[in-house]
Amino acid sequence: MSFDVLQDQIKAKKNPTAAILGAGPDDIPPHILNKHTAQYGETLEAAAEAALEFHLGLIDALADIVPAVELSCARFEALGWRGMRALETVIAYAKEKGLFVIADGKRADLGGSAAAYSAAWLGETRVGETACPVFNADCVTLSGYMGSDAVNPFLKDCAQRNKCAFVLARTPNPSSREFQDLVSGDRQVYTAMGDLIQRWGRDTAGKYGYQILGAVVGNAQPNLLKQLRRRLDKTFFLVTGCVTQEGLSADVRWAFDELGRGAMISDSRSILRAWKKAGGDGTDYQDAARDAAEQVRDELRRLITIF
């Protein structure tokens, strides 16, 4: 199963970090953006070409450090069809470099629309007699709050194509408590969603014991990760909201099992924007990104040991 592929790569690099990629024009170093606006003007085409160059450079810089990249689909969508063309190229390049690709689109729909989203991100579209892969990510993020109808088409493609998906369970944004923390019967809503994720993925566990549906969990409350790790023993976690300007939250260690497995840390864009924090002109953005990625990796290694 695909989380086996991800866990193998995490073990090889001793680094359970996904580098978030998805730059808007303000995130791109001026020397790259200016080169493309000089050619295309201040247009979406210039922004998309600049984003493409920037992201390919980041992948070159990070491929030997991180096992995975998490691509923010919204940032590319904001650049129109040219941005989506850039996204397709970035996904293909990341896979060529051996990185595990998570398409962070938080997709949610029903029936044929859900199946079409799954075909786009994980599967293929038939044109006559030919099956054409589309974006071909390894994994996608989903919202499961419409129930199994929204998840089942993705679950089917995951099982058939050695892919996987992360379903939103407990997100770290402040207003998440307005709904996710409500009590439903004897559980809070986010706990009920976690239980559903594990139930939906039943009988799909791979060699590491994790099923093909994982859960997005935010490091938002004390003991939350510890509680969910005990409860969802077959569910791989994508942990968000744990990397801040102050560094990595020590609570993230509770997302992992006793062998240091079963979770991936989302870097909260610190790697993408590292060149800004360095205070330079961005010409050394690749070195800045490497330094930031190594810092997160090294902090994690002090908290967990991966076997």
Side-chain angles (χ1 to χ4, degrees):
M1 297 304 173
S2 196
F3 281 129
D4 289 340
V5 175
L6 177 57
Q7 188 65 63
D8 282 341
Q9 295 195 36
I10 289 171
K11 286 179 62 180
K13 295 178 179 177
K14 300 297 182 184
N15 183 13
T17 305
I20 294 180
L21 303 184
D26 291 342
D27 298 318
I28 298 172
H31 72 282
I32 297 177
L33 185 61
N34 292 342
K35 178 175 74 174
H36 293 285
T37 55
Q39 181 174 359
Y40 300 109
E42 294 183 344
T43 62
L44 292 176
E45 185 171 9
E49 291 297 321
L52 177 59
E53 179 179 339
F54 180 50
H55 287 106
L56 296 185
L58 286 173
I59 289 168
D60 285 338
L62 299 170
D64 64 327
I65 300 173
V66 301
V69 289
E70 180 184 345
L71 297 170
S72 176
C73 299
R75 300 285 177 163
F76 292 92
E77 289 173 10
L79 302 177
W81 65 265
R82 296 171 183 85
M84 298 308 288
R85 181 177 63 186
L87 175 58
E88 184 177 8
T89 303
V90 170
I91 290 174
Y93 191 70
K95 290 171 71 75
E96 180 184 317
K97 290 288 185 176
L99 293 168
F100 188 89
V101 176
I102 304 166
D104 181 20
K106 300 177 180 67
R107 300 304 180 194
D109 216 321
L110 302 173
S113 295
Y117 274 133
S118 184
W121 293 104
L122 301 177
E124 58 194 19
T125 296
R126 297 198 68 85
V127 182
E129 298 300 317
T130 303
C132 303
V134 192
F135 290 103
N136 198 29
D138 299 301
C139 182
V140 67
T141 59
L142 307 174
S143 176
Y145 280 96
M146 286 191 289
S148 58
D149 292 334
V151 174
N152 282 338
F154 294 90
L155 183 59
K156 179 180 178 181
D157 276 331
C158 286
Q160 291 179 347
R161 303 178 188 282
N162 197 30
K163 308 277 188 173
C164 56
F166 286 111
V167 185
L168 300 179
R170 178 56 164 87
T171 57
N173 56 299
S175 65
S176 64
R177 64 176 64 94
E178 295 172 0
F179 176 68
Q180 296 170 22
D181 286 2
L182 294 177
V183 175
S184 173
D186 61 347
R187 302 171 293 177
Q188 289 177 291
V189 167
Y190 74 82
T191 306
M193 175 54 68
D195 291 344
L196 279 171
I197 293 167
Q198 185 147 293
R199 192 176 81 195
W200 289 335
R202 64 186 179 275
D203 300 327
T204 65
K207 67 180 180 180
Y208 293 106
Y210 290 97
Q211 300 175 161
I212 59 178
L213 287 184
V216 177
V217 293
N219 186 33
Q221 298 175 356
N223 298 318
L224 182 142
L225 293 176
K226 186 185 294 187
Q227 168 210 342
L228 289 178
R229 179 74 286 158
R230 286 197 302 262
R231 189 180 189 104
L232 306 177
D233 60 322
K234 296 181 175 63
T235 302
F236 206 100
F237 289 169
L238 179 64
V239 185
T240 62
C242 57
V243 184
T244 67
Q245 291 183 346
E246 289 73 37
L248 184 69
S249 168
D251 288 342
V252 301
R253 67 186 184 275
W254 302 117
F256 297 85
D257 65 20
E258 65 278 4
L259 297 175
R261 301 171 182 172
M264 166 71 68
I265 304 303
S266 182
D267 82 324
S268 300
R269 305 174 70 81
S270 67
I271 295 172
L272 178 78
R273 294 172 176 162
W275 70 269
K276 286 190 171 185
K277 187 175 180 180
D281 61 4
T283 54
D284 61 346
Y285 76 95
Q286 290 175 299
D287 291 336
R290 284 186 64 87
D291 289 345
E294 289 173 343
Q295 180 179 341
V296 175
R297 178 200 64 194
D298 293 346
E299 288 185 51
L300 273 169
R301 286 179 176 177
R302 288 192 285 271
L303 293 172
I304 61 168
T305 301
I306 301 170
F307 294 95

